[in-house]
Amino acid sequence: MNPKLSRRRFIKGVIASGAAATSTTIWYAANGAERPAGAVERLIRINVNGQTRSVDVAPQETLASTLRYKLGLTGTKLGCNRGECGACTVLVDDTPSYACSVLTHSVKSMRIETVEGLESANGDLHPVQQAFVEELSPQCGYCTPGQVMAAVGLLRINPNPTREEVRQGLAGNICRCGSYDSYLNGVMRAAQIG
Amino acid sequence: MAYMHIGKDFVPPDVVGKVTGRIKYSEDYSRDGMVYARLLTSPVPHGRVINIDASEALAMEGVFGILTADDVYPDGEPQSPGLKVLTNEPTLIGEPILAIAAIDEKTAETAMTKISLTIERLPFVLDPLDSLVEGGPDAYNGGNTYIFREGFAQEKWTTDQVASFRSGNEPTAEAQQGWAYGDLEAGFAASDFIHETTFSTAGYPHMSMEPRSAMAYWENGKCYLHGTSQSLSAIAEPMAAIVGVPLEDFVFINEATGGGFGQRARAGSIPSMAIPAKLSQKINRPVMMRVTREEEFTIGGARQGLQGWIKVGFKSDGTMAAMDMYCISDNGGKGGGGDANSAAGGVSALYQTEAMRFRNSSIGTNTAHRGAQRGPGENQIMAIMAPIMDKAAEALGLDRLEIRKLNAAQNGDVSGSRSTPFTSAYMPEALEQGAAQFDWEGKKSRARQTNGSKVRGFGIGQGYHNAGRSGMDGIVRLMPSGRLAVHNGIGNLGTYSYASTSRAAAEVLKMRWEDCDVITGRTDRHLPITSPQDGSNSIFTNTRTCFGAAQDLLVKMKEIAAMDLGGDAADYEIDGSRIYQQADSSVGMTYAEVAQRGIELGGKFSGEDELPEDLNRLTQLSVSRLAGSALMGVYHDPRHNNNPPGFTVTFTEIELDKETGKIEILDLVSIAECGTVVHPQGLANQLRGGAVWGIGLSVLERHLYDPQNGLPASTGYWQSKIPTYLDTPANIGTGWVDLPDPENPVGARGIGEPAMGAVSAALNAAITDALGGHLFDTAPVTTDMIINHIAGVSEDAVPLAQNNFRG
């Protein structure tokens, strides 16, 4: 995980915003309309999938909430909303990050990539997506966007990983269907497709 | 037999949506004017709501209304087990008491803090044996158990009876239910090796990745519910009943489901979906109810824990002569679950024991509500049985593989309380294939070899589940475009069986898959009734319906061709795009032309009359709404004969670190025996996923409750640990026997559940092997138990403990 986006920094940010530091409260408060007195500017610009988007962001709002409920990018899934499962994994400056545990205000100067941004302009799937289709890596599919983004992030820094390196690289992404072996096959195939 | 589609891989229509994030789960939808519901849940494990004062909350700006149990059940809550939509009589912490709708979730949460809830605390219990003992607390109002057709009841043992059971002895109390076959006494008398033990297996949550969020709205008198379910058409009628709307005015929308594993198969296991529907009706706005991970733990169900005693006898040649089993099954806070009975049936099926007795009592606890979880019963007991098989083999001087082959199910064998024959069975073939692929003969001599603190262990496991149903319906339509629409009511759970079973229709009509559309995802696309997608049944059940509906369509195509082109229907053949005379292939019609003629002719050809008798009400409704749109094939599937089994065998090699108790799986091979293979990639996924689940059952998963207050201590993925990439082997070997079953038109049977049980069995056997033959008689076997055993410390501070640490 990007040290700039550590869980510690996230929690500090939440506390600084005046919100109670419980996971459920964070989630629901994230959608609130109130602006606490003295809070940071809410209308910010963030770079998502190569586009600059203006969005009204509450001080304690998580990146997952902004993506899903403000920008309509529902490919980013919330499985636990507390940094346990990895379903909400996106890339922040190329680093796989749990969007449920990142405050949107903390990444406004960074590049954010979600699963919706991977396809090429002509509709071709990203090699990881294509490989996951060919290997039938997903089962229920709920963790798949997170697995895809973790794999894309890994392959950017390690284009030819060993199977063990992929296993370690994706270890932060849970799959309750147990499709790990099929995802590993997919990432190894993606590395070949390049 | 050479098939066009059966046994071939393909790209299921939804998989691109899954890798791009475009496919929508229930929480991904929104609706203009949508408001948000939050749940006020029970803070106590057992209580009774005395009063709810929501006046202050309802006066808040942005609050639109609340829904309580009194709204849902104006005539009083049903006095039966099972989750209620909302309740005034909670029997587990986190059970929903009311829902409140507001402009956003923050407002709803704030409003909830202004609700005054007066609740009477009642005694609670976390371990079935603590409830069974005389004077012990009861989990339910009216007792600690539920007797079918009689109601809630109280069952108590004497203190000595409970203590004796905890000490390892056969329970002496009369059981609530049971069955037997064969001469048990004679079986034990003929046995040269008898093993007798108490055992326990843990309860643990399903923890599907997608929380069971739901969104609903009403439009022109119809209720539209975006929900999450393993099933699709099977949910419609019972969920409409829970919502309180006629079936014809209910639309269930469920394009994809983020995991189910048994707890989203039937409406009764996900009644919470009715909350936004009824709240939406009350406040006349679309309502989204997002469910948190903690709530998913609470209302998402759990596997039943078992506390049991078994005695099993083997003849000198290794034949299992007698099995006596007594189980207490943990019914949790809401009752439900038949794990113990399935466990006994599984033993009978897999080991073909000559005589057997099964006894069971189900006792409630104020813990997670229980219900089916992947291989309920069979998969727990196989983890207990596999080490016993090895102990018997060792005692009788037999090879561990040979004792399994000797007792394996074969064609002509029967199983269970009614001695039901298998439709087909090839377990010896599966064992041989697995042994060859794993190289059992080459590797087994390495058993118990040490390398520093690490020791090798080998295990063979077997899994079983009944894997097929019948009596459902099928609808296919040949469109004027020449394309085939296969209406499929299976849910999209991740098995891809909604698509792979549809290919049986394409097979009959010799059509290219590219020319076929699977119609699914929402009930207003007019789906036939389908069995709930549980019990590993879909491949068997729905290839029968899709195949049958396509055959009905083919008969009609030939009738139309004969009518228009002359000759008899039997004179015609098809090639996937044309129907033509066998004697002169130039005389024929395209599929598009015959479809158009079917519409023109109407009547039975376009679904307007002469429909099969006994069509389900949902199918009738769907057919009536599709009538006249295409040339239609409609089919009601008659009942099949006998028991279609799903079998799996697993071979594994592990390395156990005696200093840390950690286990590493070095090799694992699973072989499916599930009839003809329909979809190889899908089958491999089931074997791999089943393996991961088996690892969880065997060494990781259990939920825990605080004994003082009854608080669940494992509501997240960290506390109720599920296997991750690092807990599973980097490669899982797969294979299949691939011999056809006579009761299915393409020869297929199901596999999802036994794929797990075989692995839990193999892994527990391998741990026992690595530890020189020590039996833990429990699942999971966690690192602390292993360390305690190696250190010579008792593994169980509280023998047979449920819903808590054992040590």
Side-chain angles (χ1 to χ4, degrees):
Chain A
M1 186 172 178
N2 186 340
K4 293 178 186 171
L5 305 173
S6 69
R7 190 166 177 81
R8 179 179 178 80
R9 186 177 170 207
F10 167 76
I11 293 169
K12 284 171 67 179
V14 171
I15 294 169
S17 75
T22 68
S23 61
T24 49
T25 307
I26 292 164
W27 185 13
Y28 301 111
N31 298 295
E34 293 175 26
R35 178 183 176 183
V40 296
E41 178 61 42
R42 288 181 52 144
L43 190 62
I44 64 170
R45 287 148 68 92
I46 56 175
N47 185 315
V48 181
N49 297 329
Q51 293 184 321
T52 301
R53 307 280 297 266
S54 293
V55 59
D56 180 10
V57 177
Q60 70 276 35
E61 186 168 313
T62 65
L63 180 57
S65 278
T66 305
L67 294 170
R68 286 184 55 81
Y69 309 124
K70 300 283 178 65
L71 301 179
L73 297 171
T74 55
T76 298
K77 303 301 180 194
L78 283 170
C80 66
N81 207 34
R82 55 190 200 186
E84 292 181 356
C85 77
C88 62
T89 302
V90 298
L91 299 185
V92 179
D93 281 353
D94 295 321
T95 302
S97 306
Y98 291 167
C100 75
S101 303
V102 171
L103 292 177
T104 308
H105 278 277
S106 71
V107 295
K108 58 190 175 188
S109 61
M110 300 177 185
R111 285 181 297 107
I112 298 151
E113 292 172 79
T114 73
V115 71
E116 289 92 344
L118 293 180
E119 288 170 83
S120 64
N122 66 5
D124 288 346
L125 296 178
H126 184 281
V128 169
Q129 294 172 312
Q130 184 61 38
F132 278 17
V133 168
E134 291 170 6
E135 291 290 339
L136 199 67
S137 302
Q139 289 190 36
C140 83
Y142 200 76
C143 74
T144 303
Q147 305 274 1
V148 168
M149 299 313 294
V152 169
L154 172 70
L155 292 175
R156 281 192 188 160
I157 58 169
N158 184 0
N160 293 296
T162 64
R163 197 174 179 91
E164 181 57 26
E165 286 169 339
V166 178
R167 190 167 169 245
Q168 296 288 336
L170 267 61
N173 291 71
I174 283 173
C175 171
R176 186 48 158 162
C177 298
S179 215
Y180 299 124
D181 209 24
S182 300
Y183 282 123
L184 292 178
N185 291 342
V187 180
M188 296 309 290
R189 180 185 281 256
Q192 290 175 349
I193 295 172
Chain B
M1 182 173 175
Y3 288 109
M4 279 180 74
H5 302 297
I6 303 302
K8 310 280 172 58
D9 284 326
F10 66 106
V11 178
D14 61 314
V15 69
V16 171
K18 287 177 175 172
V19 302
T20 58
R22 282 199 288 270
I23 198 163
K24 285 188 182 294
Y25 300 78
S26 56
E27 200 201 307
D28 297 335
Y29 291 92
S30 64
R31 191 89 183 159
D32 285 349
M34 188 170 85
V35 299
Y36 297 86
R38 290 291 300 130
L39 298 173
L40 179 62
T41 62
S42 175
V44 297
H46 189 191
R48 183 180 291 116
V49 173
I50 305 298
N51 186 52
I52 297 169
D53 182 356
S55 54
E56 193 179 347
L58 288 169
M60 282 178 58
E61 188 178 346
V63 173
F64 295 103
I66 69 166
L67 189 77
T68 67
D70 293 340
D71 296 314
V72 178
Y73 306 108
D75 300 324
E77 292 181 39
Q79 293 303 304
S80 58
L83 274 175
K84 309 294 187 296
V85 178
L86 296 165
T87 188
N88 287 326
E89 300 172 352
T91 48
L92 58 98
I93 282 183
E95 192 169 2
I97 290 172
L98 65 83
I100 189 159
I103 190 73
D104 53 49
E105 286 162 328
K106 182 180 181 183
T107 305
E109 287 273 318
T110 305
M112 234 158 16
T113 66
K114 300 188 184 304
I115 292 176
S116 173
L117 173 70
T118 309
I119 191 164
E120 177 191 1
R121 281 178 178 272
L122 296 171
F124 71 93
V125 65
L126 301 177
D127 187 318
L129 296 185
D130 291 340
S131 180
L132 260 180
V133 72
E134 52 196 346
D138 292 337
Y140 313 134
N141 302 334
N144 60 356
T145 189
Y146 184 85
I147 308 295
F148 185 58
R149 290 181 177 153
E150 293 180 24
F152 288 104
Q154 196 178 54
E155 172 149 347
K156 297 294 173 187
W157 293 4
T158 67
T159 304
D160 287 345
Q161 282 177 313
V162 172
S164 173
F165 181 35
R166 282 204 194 272
S167 300
N169 300 311
E170 178 184 359
T172 54
E174 186 178 346
Q176 292 170 356
Q177 59 164 307
W179 47 264
Y181 64 80
D183 188 336
L184 202 65
E185 273 189 37
F188 284 121
S191 295
D192 289 272
F193 173 76
I194 294 174
H195 180 75
E196 179 183 341
T197 185
T198 51
F199 69 93
S200 70
T201 65
Y204 58 89
H206 293 65
M207 284 297 198
S208 297
M209 293 291 290
E210 179 200 11
R212 55 192 57 204
S213 301
M215 190 270 276
Y217 61 95
W218 293 71
E219 203 167 79
N220 298 325
K222 282 192 174 185
C223 176
Y224 294 81
L225 175 59
H226 293 264
T228 175
S229 173
Q230 293 169 233
S231 313
L232 183 56
S233 57
I235 284 286
E237 189 158 12
M239 187 53 70
I242 293 173
V243 173
V245 61
L247 177 62
E248 50 269 32
D249 293 330
F250 180 68
V251 179
F252 184 59
I253 302 145
N254 184 202
E255 296 278 357
T257 292
F261 315 111
Q263 259 306 309
R264 299 184 189 193
R266 296 163 191 249
S269 60
I270 37 176
S272 58
M273 290 196 299
I275 295 172
K278 295 188 83 71
L279 200 44
S280 172
Q281 185 180 33
K282 185 174 180 180
I283 65 174
N284 197 27
R285 287 174 170 80
V287 174
M288 166 66 81
M289 182 182 73
R290 286 199 277 240
V291 168
T292 66
R293 178 52 44 193
E294 294 91 335
E295 290 166 346
E296 177 62 26
F297 170 87
T298 304
I299 59 176
R303 184 180 289 275
Q304 283 195 306
L306 301 177
Q307 297 161 306
W309 167 89
I310 47 177
K311 180 179 175 185
V312 54
F314 296 83
K315 294 179 183 173
S316 59
D317 67 352
T319 304
M320 190 184 286
M323 158 67 85
D324 197 3
M325 178 186 296
Y326 193 126
C327 279
I328 301 298
S329 43
D330 183 350
N331 261 1
K334 306 311 296 180
D339 289 34
N341 191 35
S342 298
V347 169
S348 173
L350 268 186
Y351 299 119
Q352 293 293 298
T353 182
E354 291 178 346
M356 184 158 182
R357 178 170 65 164
F358 164 68
R359 292 167 289 171
N360 170 236
S361 291
S362 299
I363 302 297
T365 57
N366 298 102
T367 61
H369 90 89
R370 309 308 169 105
Q373 185 186 99
R374 198 170 193 165
E378 297 98 337
N379 289 353
Q380 295 102 300
I381 203 66
M382 295 318 155
I384 303 300
M385 285 301 300
I388 294 174
M389 295 298 289
D390 292 342
K391 185 167 184 176
E394 189 166 14
L396 297 170
L398 300 168
D399 180 85
R400 296 160 64 185
L401 175 61
E402 292 307 315
I403 195 171
R404 287 168 169 84
K405 285 165 68 174
L406 181 73
N407 290 289
Q410 308 179 50
N411 273 338
D413 283 343
V414 302
S415 74
S417 58
R418 298 175 185 169
S419 297
T420 309
F422 295 118
T423 52
S424 63
Y426 301 98
M427 180 53 95
E429 289 84 347
L431 284 162
E432 286 172 9
Q433 189 171 333
Q437 192 165 325
F438 179 79
D439 188 20
W440 173 256
E441 289 302 323
K443 288 182 174 176
K444 67 180 182 182
S445 62
R446 297 208 299 254
R448 303 182 185 178
Q449 285 183 359
T450 57
N451 175 23
S453 64
K454 295 176 178 175
V455 56
R456 296 280 170 114
F458 289 82
I460 305 172
Q462 295 159 274
Y464 158 80
H465 197 281
N466 163 273
R469 301 178 188 139
S470 52
M472 301 294 135
D473 300 334
I475 301 174
V476 295
R477 288 185 300 150
L478 191 60
M479 310 302 291
S481 63
R483 296 183 67 80
L484 180 71
V486 184
H487 292 246
N488 201 317
I490 303 179
N492 185 357
L493 175 63
T495 63
Y496 302 103
S497 53
Y498 79 91
S500 56
T501 61
S502 297
R503 285 160 67 83
E507 192 76 51
V508 171
L509 298 167
K510 300 183 180 178
M511 293 183 73
R512 297 188 313 159
W513 185 238
E514 296 76 22
D515 296 331
C516 301
D517 300 302
V518 182
I519 310 299
T520 186
R522 46 190 297 157
T523 55
D524 59 358
R525 291 182 181 141
H526 314 310
L527 309 176
I529 191 66
T530 303
S531 178
Q533 191 177 198
D534 57 11
S536 303
N537 87 95
S538 297
I539 284 284
F540 181 91
T541 312
N542 269 55
T543 47
R544 286 172 62 101
T545 55
C546 292
F547 192 96
Q551 280 198 314
D552 181 60
L553 183 71
L554 180 57
V555 167
K556 291 169 179 169
M557 290 169 68
K558 289 184 177 182
E559 284 183 36
I560 291 173
M563 201 183 308
D564 284 11
L565 303 174
D568 291 333
D571 297 336
Y572 285 85
E573 180 56 274
I574 57 170
D575 68 2
S577 60
R578 285 181 78 248
I579 181 164
Y580 57 88
Q581 284 187 353
Q582 294 173 54
D584 180 359
S585 62
S586 68
V587 179
M589 306 167 75
T590 66
Y591 279 19
E593 289 167 341
V594 77
Q596 184 59 43
R597 279 293 287 144
I599 295 172
E600 292 164 7
L601 289 165
K604 71 175 183 181
F605 295 106
S606 61
E608 282 151 308
D609 58 32
E610 295 185 47
L611 299 171
E613 293 182 1
D614 301 327
L615 280 184
N616 173 274
R617 202 159 83 84
L618 179 78
T619 314
Q620 290 178 25
L621 194 62
S622 295
V623 171
S624 71
R625 288 170 170 173
L626 293 167
S629 65
L631 175 61
M632 201 180 304
V634 184
Y635 179 66
H636 176 69
D637 185 22
R639 293 289 176 181
H640 69 280
N641 296 311
N642 302 330
N643 169 19
F647 289 125
T648 304
V649 301
T650 297
F651 291 74
T652 193
E653 177 181 11
I654 67 163
E655 200 168 60
L656 184 152
D657 190 326
K658 296 174 86 166
E659 289 182 351
T660 64
K662 181 174 166 38
I663 292 152
E664 186 174 359
I665 300 170
L666 304 177
D667 195 4
L668 191 149
V669 171
S670 283
I671 305 294
E673 199 288 89
C674 56
T676 301
V677 174
V678 172
H679 180 202
Q681 278 188 323
L683 173 54
N685 269 357
Q686 287 307 302
L687 289 171
R688 292 169 184 150
V692 173
W693 272 76
I695 293 164
L697 189 158
S698 192
V699 297
L700 289 173
E701 297 192 58
R702 58 185 173 186
H703 63 202
L704 303 167
Y705 284 76
D706 151 40
Q708 181 170 323
N709 299 302
L711 290 163
S714 44
T715 59
Y717 284 116
W718 288 130
Q719 304 104 327
S720 182
K721 178 82 161 55
I722 71 169
T724 71
Y725 276 99
L726 302 184
D727 299 305
T728 54
N731 283 291
I732 296 172
T734 60
W736 31 82
V737 176
D738 203 12
L739 291 171
D741 186 279
E743 286 290 322
N744 182 275
V746 299
R749 301 192 243 106
I751 197 62
E753 287 157 298
M756 173 187 173
V759 174
S760 64
L763 199 47
N764 261 22
I767 293 168
T768 289
D769 187 31
L771 293 173
H774 175 74
L775 275 69
F776 288 92
D777 298 316
T778 190
V781 175
T782 53
T783 50
D784 54 303
M785 293 178 193
I786 292 171
I787 291 294
N788 281 342
H789 165 71
I790 291 169
V793 176
S794 169
E795 295 144 22
D796 296 327
V798 182
L800 302 177
Q802 278 291 316
N803 305 312
N804 204 341
F805 291 110
R806 288 166 57 99

